Amino acid sequence: MQHSLLDAERLSLSQAAQKLNVHVSTVWRWAQNGVKGRKLPTIEVGGRRFVLLDDGERFMANDEPGGNSVALSRAAER
């Protein structure tokens, strides 16, 4: 079953940065320029940029196996 992007669990770039313990500029750079040949997928809703939880977990899991994906999952619970 398809879910709407508006219903998907998402974090603002600032929230994602806090949970990953990096600066918001780092998250923005991952989205704009990428790292190691991959870009962090984001969506724009109402003029604000968000990271979908599933996309963020995939991005982090590819960067550090078993690493920060848990941090993103816990961030959506709060």
Side-chain angles (χ1 to χ4, degrees):
M1 175 171 75
Q2 287 281 0
H3 292 284
S4 165
L5 287 177
L6 296 175
D7 295 334
E9 293 183 77
R10 63 188 182 271
L11 299 170
S12 69
L13 298 187
S14 179
Q15 290 170 322
Q18 287 176 333
K19 299 306 173 191
L20 296 172
N21 200 30
V22 297
H23 195 274
V24 68
S25 296
T26 300
V27 176
W28 178 256
R29 190 172 52 253
W30 290 343
Q32 292 299 305
N33 303 324
V35 61
K36 298 180 184 178
R38 296 177 298 112
K39 287 186 179 182
L40 175 63
T42 60
I43 61 167
E44 189 172 336
V45 177
R48 294 187 62 202
R49 188 132 317 258
F50 294 91
V51 176
L52 295 179
L53 183 61
D54 291 342
D55 290 341
E57 287 180 343
R58 261 192 304 287
F59 180 82
M60 294 309 297
N62 285 334
D63 192 37
E64 296 179 24
N68 289 330
S69 60
V70 172
L72 283 172
S73 295
R74 289 189 182 146
E77 294 171 5
R78 296 179 184 168

